[in-house]
Amino acid sequence: MSIDPPPVLVTRRLAPGVIDRLTAQYAATCPDDDRAMDRAELLAAVPGRRAVLTTLDDRVDDAFLDAAGPQLEIVANHAVGYHNIDLAACAARGVRVTHTPGVLTTATADMAWALLLAATRRIGEGERLLRSGTPWSWSPTFMLGLELAGTPLGVLGMGRIGQAVARRARAFDMPVSYHNRTPLPPEEAEDADWKPLDDLLATSTVLVVTCPLSDATRHLLDAERLALLPPGAVVVSMTAGVVDEEALAAALDSGALFAAAVDNFEHEPAVPAALLAQERVVLAPHLGSATVRTRQAMGGLAVDNILAVLGGGEPLTPIGG
Ligand SMILES: O=CC(=O)O
C-alpha cells in the first residue's frame, strides 16, 4: 500500500517564518538544507503533490508535470520572473501558475541604483585596489567616474521595477527615456519619454535593463545593439539573458563602454570568465530582491497563492493575470 505524500512541496528553504501559515493548514515537505534540488530529486519529489512552491532553479516542463500527475493544481513561483516555467504545458493540464510581482519592486529598484552608482563611480574597482595593498594616492585625475546629473538614463522594460528605477532618477536629476513594446499611459510613465529600441540605445548614456527574459528578449542586447549605445555608456543589467554577457565583456574590453553592472547571470551560478576579467564591471550574485522584508513578502505571496488555490479560490497573482 502506497502512502500519499504531503500535498505541498516547497523546493527550497524560505525566509524564516514564511511557511508557518502554509503548514498550519497543509502538510508540506520542505527541505532542511539550503540548496536547489537537482533535476532527479525534483522529479522524484513532485509525484502526488497538489501544490509545488518553486524557485527559478526548478524547471517546470512536460517531464515535471508528467511526474507530478493530474492532481497538481498550482505551481507557485517564488520570483517575479518565470522563464523556468512552460506556461503552455501548465495551461494544457489546467495547472495554475503564479509569481510574486509587486512585493520585490522597491528592493530590486534600489539594487539597480546601488549597481548604477557603483559602476559609474568605480566603487568596486576602488575597493579592490585598496584591498590589494597596491600603493595609491589622491590625485586630480585618479579614478574619475561619470557624473549623473543631466546624464540621460534609458530604462529598457518599464514595468513595475523599471518605473521604480525611473522614479529614483528624479533625485539624481537625470532625464529618463524608456522602451516597452507599447508606450505606457502618461500616469505610469514617470515623466519618461518612450523611444523605439534603437533610438533609446543611441541616446542612453546609462541604460538599465529591467525587461523580463522571454523568447523575445533573450540576447536582445547583442553585440550589434550594444554598439548603438553612445561611446562611454554604462549598462546595468537586472535580468539574466537579455544582455549577451560575452558581447558585454567585449564592449568593456574594447573601451566602447565606460562600465557595466550585472546582477544575475544566464547560467547561474556560473559567471563568464570574460566578465570576471573586466575591471569595469560590478558583479553581484543575484541580489536584486535580497532583503529580509522582500524575501518574506515573496515567500508570503507564494504561500497565499497556494492557500487560495487549494482552498478552491482564485490565485492572487497568476502569471499574466
Ligand atoms: O530574481 C528574479 C526574479 O524574482 O524574477
Side-chain angles (χ1 to χ4, degrees):
M1 191 182 76
S2 68
I3 301 169
D4 286 342
V8 183
L9 171 67
V10 178
T11 66
R12 195 73 196 258
R13 188 201 285 171
L14 301 180
V18 163
I19 57 165
D20 296 353
R21 275 182 309 111
L22 177 66
T23 51
Q25 291 194 47
Y26 295 95
T29 309
C30 314
D32 296 327
D33 53 354
D34 188 19
R35 65 176 182 86
M37 288 185 177
D38 68 29
R39 181 75 173 159
E41 285 172 309
L42 183 65
L43 295 185
V46 291
R49 309 293 183 159
R50 292 177 62 199
V52 183
L53 194 156
T54 50
T55 73
L56 291 172
D57 285 323
D58 306 313
R59 187 153 38 89
V60 178
D61 55 7
D62 278 316
F64 174 107
L65 296 164
D66 288 344
Q71 76 303 315
L72 182 65
E73 293 170 52
I74 174 169
V75 171
N77 217 31
H78 182 286
V80 66
Y82 44 84
H83 54 264
N84 57 314
I85 300 179
D86 182 339
L87 296 178
C90 291
R93 290 167 169 84
V95 174
R96 316 300 294 265
V97 186
T98 63
H99 63 151
T100 60
V103 293
L104 45 59
T105 301
T106 302
T108 309
D110 288 351
M111 184 66 188
W113 273 93
L115 292 176
L116 190 166
L117 288 163
T120 53
R121 299 305 298 273
R122 304 175 63 177
I123 292 174
E125 245 180 300
E127 157 103 0
R128 281 193 297 281
L129 177 86
L130 294 190
R131 288 185 186 278
S132 73
T134 308
W136 69 282
S137 66
W138 184 92
S139 102
T141 57
F142 178 60
M143 247 190 210
L144 305 186
L146 176 74
E147 189 142 335
L148 298 183
T151 299
L153 173 71
V155 176
L156 177 54
M158 192 78 152
R160 290 180 190 80
I161 296 168
Q163 288 169 35
V165 167
R167 244 182 340 265
R168 284 155 177 69
R170 283 192 209 130
F172 291 88
D173 294 328
M174 297 178 81
V176 186
S177 304
Y178 74 97
H179 176 78
N180 271 6
R181 269 173 303 190
T182 44
L184 291 170
E187 64 276 13
E188 288 175 34
E190 301 294 342
D191 296 329
D193 296 328
W194 181 88
K195 289 184 176 166
L197 177 59
D198 288 359
D199 287 0
L200 182 82
L201 297 176
T203 53
S204 296
T205 304
V206 178
L207 181 76
V208 179
V209 180
T210 49
C211 59
L213 176 62
S214 68
D215 288 344
T217 61
R218 187 176 298 278
H219 288 194
L220 185 64
L221 293 192
D222 55 9
E224 220 169 286
R225 287 224 173 79
L226 287 172
L228 297 176
L229 289 160
V234 174
V235 175
V236 178
S237 167
M238 300 302 292
T239 314
V242 176
V243 182
D244 178 331
E245 292 164 352
E246 296 294 331
L248 184 69
L252 286 162
D253 202 48
S254 70
L257 294 179
F258 178 77
V262 184
D263 181 53
N264 45 52
F265 301 90
E266 199 169 347
H267 303 293
E268 286 183 12
V271 179
L275 277 180
L276 289 169
Q278 295 302 319
E279 270 298 314
R280 290 286 184 92
V281 65
V282 181
L283 301 170
H286 202 147
L287 297 180
S289 63
T291 69
V292 174
R293 192 201 292 168
T294 289
R295 286 292 161 80
Q296 280 179 335
M298 290 167 73
L301 184 52
V303 164
D304 286 340
N305 277 309
I306 290 176
L307 292 176
V309 170
L310 295 192
E314 288 301 312
L316 280 72
T317 47
I319 289 172

PDB file of all heavy atoms in Angstrom, residues 101-126:
ATOM      1  N   PRO A 101       4.926  39.303  -8.256  1.00  0.00           N
ATOM      2  CA  PRO A 101       5.184  40.688  -8.683  1.00  0.00           C
ATOM      3  C   PRO A 101       4.863  41.676  -7.567  1.00  0.00           C
ATOM      4  O   PRO A 101       4.146  41.350  -6.624  1.00  0.00           O
ATOM      5  CB  PRO A 101       4.199  40.860  -9.847  1.00  0.00           C
ATOM      6  CG  PRO A 101       3.059  39.950  -9.500  1.00  0.00           C
ATOM      7  CD  PRO A 101       3.681  38.765  -8.797  1.00  0.00           C
ATOM      8  N   GLY A 102       5.372  42.889  -7.710  1.00  0.00           N
ATOM      9  CA  GLY A 102       4.977  43.967  -6.785  1.00  0.00           C
ATOM     10  C   GLY A 102       5.803  43.987  -5.518  1.00  0.00           C
ATOM     11  O   GLY A 102       6.447  44.991  -5.226  1.00  0.00           O
ATOM     12  N   VAL A 103       5.849  42.862  -4.815  1.00  0.00           N
ATOM     13  CA  VAL A 103       6.495  42.879  -3.488  1.00  0.00           C
ATOM     14  C   VAL A 103       8.013  43.055  -3.567  1.00  0.00           C
ATOM     15  O   VAL A 103       8.639  43.383  -2.561  1.00  0.00           O
ATOM     16  CB  VAL A 103       6.157  41.600  -2.679  1.00  0.00           C
ATOM     17  CG1 VAL A 103       4.688  41.583  -2.322  1.00  0.00           C
ATOM     18  CG2 VAL A 103       6.537  40.339  -3.443  1.00  0.00           C
ATOM     19  N   LEU A 104       8.604  42.827  -4.726  1.00  0.00           N
ATOM     20  CA  LEU A 104      10.066  42.969  -4.818  1.00  0.00           C
ATOM     21  C   LEU A 104      10.492  44.208  -5.599  1.00  0.00           C
ATOM     22  O   LEU A 104      11.680  44.425  -5.855  1.00  0.00           O
ATOM     23  CB  LEU A 104      10.717  41.709  -5.413  1.00  0.00           C
ATOM     24  CG  LEU A 104      10.100  41.055  -6.639  1.00  0.00           C
ATOM     25  CD1 LEU A 104      10.030  41.980  -7.797  1.00  0.00           C
ATOM     26  CD2 LEU A 104      10.821  39.785  -6.978  1.00  0.00           C
ATOM     27  N   THR A 105       9.523  45.037  -5.950  1.00  0.00           N
ATOM     28  CA  THR A 105       9.820  46.199  -6.803  1.00  0.00           C
ATOM     29  C   THR A 105      10.830  47.142  -6.148  1.00  0.00           C
ATOM     30  O   THR A 105      11.837  47.526  -6.762  1.00  0.00           O
ATOM     31  CB  THR A 105       8.512  46.969  -7.088  1.00  0.00           C
ATOM     32  OG1 THR A 105       7.611  46.076  -7.741  1.00  0.00           O
ATOM     33  CG2 THR A 105       8.754  48.184  -7.950  1.00  0.00           C
ATOM     34  N   THR A 106      10.554  47.526  -4.906  1.00  0.00           N
ATOM     35  CA  THR A 106      11.395  48.523  -4.242  1.00  0.00           C
ATOM     36  C   THR A 106      12.815  48.001  -4.047  1.00  0.00           C
ATOM     37  O   THR A 106      13.790  48.686  -4.359  1.00  0.00           O
ATOM     38  CB  THR A 106      10.770  48.848  -2.867  1.00  0.00           C
ATOM     39  OG1 THR A 106       9.452  49.312  -3.112  1.00  0.00           O
ATOM     40  CG2 THR A 106      11.537  49.902  -2.134  1.00  0.00           C
ATOM     41  N   ALA A 107      12.916  46.780  -3.550  1.00  0.00           N
ATOM     42  CA  ALA A 107      14.251  46.221  -3.281  1.00  0.00           C
ATOM     43  C   ALA A 107      15.049  46.106  -4.584  1.00  0.00           C
ATOM     44  O   ALA A 107      16.255  46.405  -4.616  1.00  0.00           O
ATOM     45  CB  ALA A 107      14.123  44.848  -2.617  1.00  0.00           C
ATOM     46  N   THR A 108      14.389  45.692  -5.652  1.00  0.00           N
ATOM     47  CA  THR A 108      15.102  45.476  -6.913  1.00  0.00           C
ATOM     48  C   THR A 108      15.509  46.816  -7.543  1.00  0.00           C
ATOM     49  O   THR A 108      16.617  46.954  -8.078  1.00  0.00           O
ATOM     50  CB  THR A 108      14.251  44.627  -7.876  1.00  0.00           C
ATOM     51  OG1 THR A 108      13.820  43.466  -7.172  1.00  0.00           O
ATOM     52  CG2 THR A 108      15.042  44.203  -9.101  1.00  0.00           C
ATOM     53  N   ALA A 109      14.619  47.804  -7.454  1.00  0.00           N
ATOM     54  CA  ALA A 109      14.973  49.131  -7.986  1.00  0.00           C
ATOM     55  C   ALA A 109      16.118  49.737  -7.169  1.00  0.00           C
ATOM     56  O   ALA A 109      17.026  50.363  -7.724  1.00  0.00           O
ATOM     57  CB  ALA A 109      13.754  50.050  -7.967  1.00  0.00           C
ATOM     58  N   ASP A 110      16.090  49.539  -5.862  1.00  0.00           N
ATOM     59  CA  ASP A 110      17.199  50.036  -5.034  1.00  0.00           C
ATOM     60  C   ASP A 110      18.515  49.384  -5.463  1.00  0.00           C
ATOM     61  O   ASP A 110      19.562  50.034  -5.551  1.00  0.00           O
ATOM     62  CB  ASP A 110      16.970  49.712  -3.551  1.00  0.00           C
ATOM     63  CG  ASP A 110      15.865  50.551  -2.924  1.00  0.00           C
ATOM     64  OD1 ASP A 110      15.372  51.500  -3.573  1.00  0.00           O
ATOM     65  OD2 ASP A 110      15.494  50.242  -1.769  1.00  0.00           O
ATOM     66  N   MET A 111      18.449  48.085  -5.729  1.00  0.00           N
ATOM     67  CA  MET A 111      19.670  47.360  -6.119  1.00  0.00           C
ATOM     68  C   MET A 111      20.179  47.866  -7.478  1.00  0.00           C
ATOM     69  O   MET A 111      21.394  48.006  -7.684  1.00  0.00           O
ATOM     70  CB  MET A 111      19.364  45.852  -6.180  1.00  0.00           C
ATOM     71  CG  MET A 111      20.560  44.992  -6.468  1.00  0.00           C
ATOM     72  SD  MET A 111      21.777  45.050  -5.114  1.00  0.00           S
ATOM     73  CE  MET A 111      23.116  44.153  -5.873  1.00  0.00           C
ATOM     74  N   ALA A 112      19.252  48.142  -8.393  1.00  0.00           N
ATOM     75  CA  ALA A 112      19.674  48.686  -9.696  1.00  0.00           C
ATOM     76  C   ALA A 112      20.435  49.988  -9.476  1.00  0.00           C
ATOM     77  O   ALA A 112      21.472  50.240 -10.104  1.00  0.00           O
ATOM     78  CB  ALA A 112      18.456  48.916 -10.587  1.00  0.00           C
ATOM     79  N   TRP A 113      19.941  50.814  -8.553  1.00  0.00           N
ATOM     80  CA  TRP A 113      20.625  52.085  -8.280  1.00  0.00           C
ATOM     81  C   TRP A 113      21.944  51.869  -7.555  1.00  0.00           C
ATOM     82  O   TRP A 113      22.917  52.583  -7.797  1.00  0.00           O
ATOM     83  CB  TRP A 113      19.698  53.043  -7.525  1.00  0.00           C
ATOM     84  CG  TRP A 113      18.896  53.793  -8.536  1.00  0.00           C
ATOM     85  CD1 TRP A 113      17.663  53.461  -9.013  1.00  0.00           C
ATOM     86  CD2 TRP A 113      19.317  54.938  -9.267  1.00  0.00           C
ATOM     87  NE1 TRP A 113      17.286  54.342  -9.997  1.00  0.00           N
ATOM     88  CE2 TRP A 113      18.279  55.258 -10.165  1.00  0.00           C
ATOM     89  CE3 TRP A 113      20.465  55.727  -9.255  1.00  0.00           C
ATOM     90  CZ2 TRP A 113      18.366  56.340 -11.045  1.00  0.00           C
ATOM     91  CZ3 TRP A 113      20.548  56.809 -10.129  1.00  0.00           C
ATOM     92  CH2 TRP A 113      19.515  57.102 -11.010  1.00  0.00           C
ATOM     93  N   ALA A 114      21.984  50.899  -6.661  1.00  0.00           N
ATOM     94  CA  ALA A 114      23.254  50.601  -5.980  1.00  0.00           C
ATOM     95  C   ALA A 114      24.308  50.224  -7.027  1.00  0.00           C
ATOM     96  O   ALA A 114      25.454  50.692  -6.993  1.00  0.00           O
ATOM     97  CB  ALA A 114      23.066  49.465  -4.978  1.00  0.00           C
ATOM     98  N   LEU A 115      23.903  49.404  -7.983  1.00  0.00           N
ATOM     99  CA  LEU A 115      24.850  48.971  -9.022  1.00  0.00           C
ATOM    100  C   LEU A 115      25.199  50.116  -9.961  1.00  0.00           C
ATOM    101  O   LEU A 115      26.355  50.265 -10.391  1.00  0.00           O
ATOM    102  CB  LEU A 115      24.260  47.797  -9.802  1.00  0.00           C
ATOM    103  CG  LEU A 115      24.115  46.504  -9.005  1.00  0.00           C
ATOM    104  CD1 LEU A 115      23.417  45.436  -9.844  1.00  0.00           C
ATOM    105  CD2 LEU A 115      25.482  45.991  -8.556  1.00  0.00           C
ATOM    106  N   LEU A 116      24.170  50.918 -10.296  1.00  0.00           N
ATOM    107  CA  LEU A 116      24.408  52.060 -11.195  1.00  0.00           C
ATOM    108  C   LEU A 116      25.450  53.005 -10.572  1.00  0.00           C
ATOM    109  O   LEU A 116      26.400  53.434 -11.230  1.00  0.00           O
ATOM    110  CB  LEU A 116      23.063  52.755 -11.409  1.00  0.00           C
ATOM    111  CG  LEU A 116      22.904  53.833 -12.471  1.00  0.00           C
ATOM    112  CD1 LEU A 116      21.418  54.088 -12.709  1.00  0.00           C
ATOM    113  CD2 LEU A 116      23.601  55.130 -12.144  1.00  0.00           C
ATOM    114  N   LEU A 117      25.273  53.286  -9.287  1.00  0.00           N
ATOM    115  CA  LEU A 117      26.214  54.188  -8.612  1.00  0.00           C
ATOM    116  C   LEU A 117      27.591  53.543  -8.482  1.00  0.00           C
ATOM    117  O   LEU A 117      28.628  54.196  -8.687  1.00  0.00           O
ATOM    118  CB  LEU A 117      25.661  54.571  -7.230  1.00  0.00           C
ATOM    119  CG  LEU A 117      24.462  55.535  -7.299  1.00  0.00           C
ATOM    120  CD1 LEU A 117      23.701  55.552  -5.987  1.00  0.00           C
ATOM    121  CD2 LEU A 117      24.934  56.938  -7.660  1.00  0.00           C
ATOM    122  N   ALA A 118      27.596  52.251  -8.161  1.00  0.00           N
ATOM    123  CA  ALA A 118      28.892  51.565  -8.018  1.00  0.00           C
ATOM    124  C   ALA A 118      29.652  51.564  -9.342  1.00  0.00           C
ATOM    125  O   ALA A 118      30.873  51.749  -9.372  1.00  0.00           O
ATOM    126  CB  ALA A 118      28.676  50.142  -7.511  1.00  0.00           C
ATOM    127  N   ALA A 119      28.906  51.345 -10.444  1.00  0.00           N
ATOM    128  CA  ALA A 119      29.574  51.283 -11.753  1.00  0.00           C
ATOM    129  C   ALA A 119      30.044  52.663 -12.208  1.00  0.00           C
ATOM    130  O   ALA A 119      31.175  52.818 -12.669  1.00  0.00           O
ATOM    131  CB  ALA A 119      28.626  50.673 -12.795  1.00  0.00           C
ATOM    132  N   THR A 120      29.167  53.668 -12.067  1.00  0.00           N
ATOM    133  CA  THR A 120      29.548  54.985 -12.589  1.00  0.00           C
ATOM    134  C   THR A 120      30.641  55.631 -11.732  1.00  0.00           C
ATOM    135  O   THR A 120      31.428  56.425 -12.231  1.00  0.00           O
ATOM    136  CB  THR A 120      28.329  55.938 -12.681  1.00  0.00           C
ATOM    137  OG1 THR A 120      27.672  55.983 -11.419  1.00  0.00           O
ATOM    138  CG2 THR A 120      27.360  55.482 -13.755  1.00  0.00           C
ATOM    139  N   ARG A 121      30.694  55.293 -10.433  1.00  0.00           N
ATOM    140  CA  ARG A 121      31.696  55.899  -9.552  1.00  0.00           C
ATOM    141  C   ARG A 121      32.827  54.938  -9.206  1.00  0.00           C
ATOM    142  O   ARG A 121      33.635  55.189  -8.329  1.00  0.00           O
ATOM    143  CB  ARG A 121      31.019  56.457  -8.290  1.00  0.00           C
ATOM    144  CG  ARG A 121      30.006  57.539  -8.595  1.00  0.00           C
ATOM    145  CD  ARG A 121      30.591  58.689  -9.416  1.00  0.00           C
ATOM    146  NE  ARG A 121      31.655  59.369  -8.729  1.00  0.00           N
ATOM    147  CZ  ARG A 121      31.464  60.377  -7.877  1.00  0.00           C
ATOM    148  NH1 ARG A 121      30.243  60.844  -7.667  1.00  0.00           N
ATOM    149  NH2 ARG A 121      32.477  60.928  -7.262  1.00  0.00           N
ATOM    150  N   ARG A 122      32.881  53.806  -9.880  1.00  0.00           N
ATOM    151  CA  ARG A 122      34.022  52.872  -9.834  1.00  0.00           C
ATOM    152  C   ARG A 122      34.301  52.344  -8.417  1.00  0.00           C
ATOM    153  O   ARG A 122      35.458  52.190  -8.008  1.00  0.00           O
ATOM    154  CB  ARG A 122      35.251  53.567 -10.447  1.00  0.00           C
ATOM    155  CG  ARG A 122      34.931  54.044 -11.843  1.00  0.00           C
ATOM    156  CD  ARG A 122      36.037  54.832 -12.490  1.00  0.00           C
ATOM    157  NE  ARG A 122      37.250  54.058 -12.695  1.00  0.00           N
ATOM    158  CZ  ARG A 122      38.335  54.528 -13.311  1.00  0.00           C
ATOM    159  NH1 ARG A 122      38.327  55.750 -13.808  1.00  0.00           N
ATOM    160  NH2 ARG A 122      39.401  53.787 -13.449  1.00  0.00           N
ATOM    161  N   ILE A 123      33.225  52.081  -7.709  1.00  0.00           N
ATOM    162  CA  ILE A 123      33.368  51.691  -6.307  1.00  0.00           C
ATOM    163  C   ILE A 123      34.012  50.302  -6.168  1.00  0.00           C
ATOM    164  O   ILE A 123      34.883  50.097  -5.309  1.00  0.00           O
ATOM    165  CB  ILE A 123      31.993  51.756  -5.594  1.00  0.00           C
ATOM    166  CG1 ILE A 123      31.551  53.229  -5.507  1.00  0.00           C
ATOM    167  CG2 ILE A 123      32.066  51.141  -4.196  1.00  0.00           C
ATOM    168  CD1 ILE A 123      30.155  53.446  -4.962  1.00  0.00           C
ATOM    169  N   GLY A 124      33.608  49.357  -7.020  1.00  0.00           N
ATOM    170  CA  GLY A 124      34.203  48.010  -6.946  1.00  0.00           C
ATOM    171  C   GLY A 124      35.692  48.052  -7.227  1.00  0.00           C
ATOM    172  O   GLY A 124      36.506  47.438  -6.520  1.00  0.00           O
ATOM    173  N   GLU A 125      36.035  48.811  -8.266  1.00  0.00           N
ATOM    174  CA  GLU A 125      37.445  48.939  -8.634  1.00  0.00           C
ATOM    175  C   GLU A 125      38.264  49.549  -7.494  1.00  0.00           C
ATOM    176  O   GLU A 125      39.368  49.084  -7.175  1.00  0.00           O
ATOM    177  CB  GLU A 125      37.514  49.934  -9.803  1.00  0.00           C
ATOM    178  CG  GLU A 125      37.982  49.419 -11.091  1.00  0.00           C
ATOM    179  CD  GLU A 125      37.963  50.583 -12.094  1.00  0.00           C
ATOM    180  OE1 GLU A 125      36.879  51.169 -12.334  1.00  0.00           O
ATOM    181  OE2 GLU A 125      39.031  50.887 -12.644  1.00  0.00           O
ATOM    182  N   GLY A 126      37.721  50.614  -6.887  1.00  0.00           N
ATOM    183  CA  GLY A 126      38.416  51.289  -5.795  1.00  0.00           C
ATOM    184  C   GLY A 126      38.589  50.372  -4.595  1.00  0.00           C
ATOM    185  O   GLY A 126      39.665  50.299  -3.990  1.00  0.00           O
TER     186      GLY A 126
END
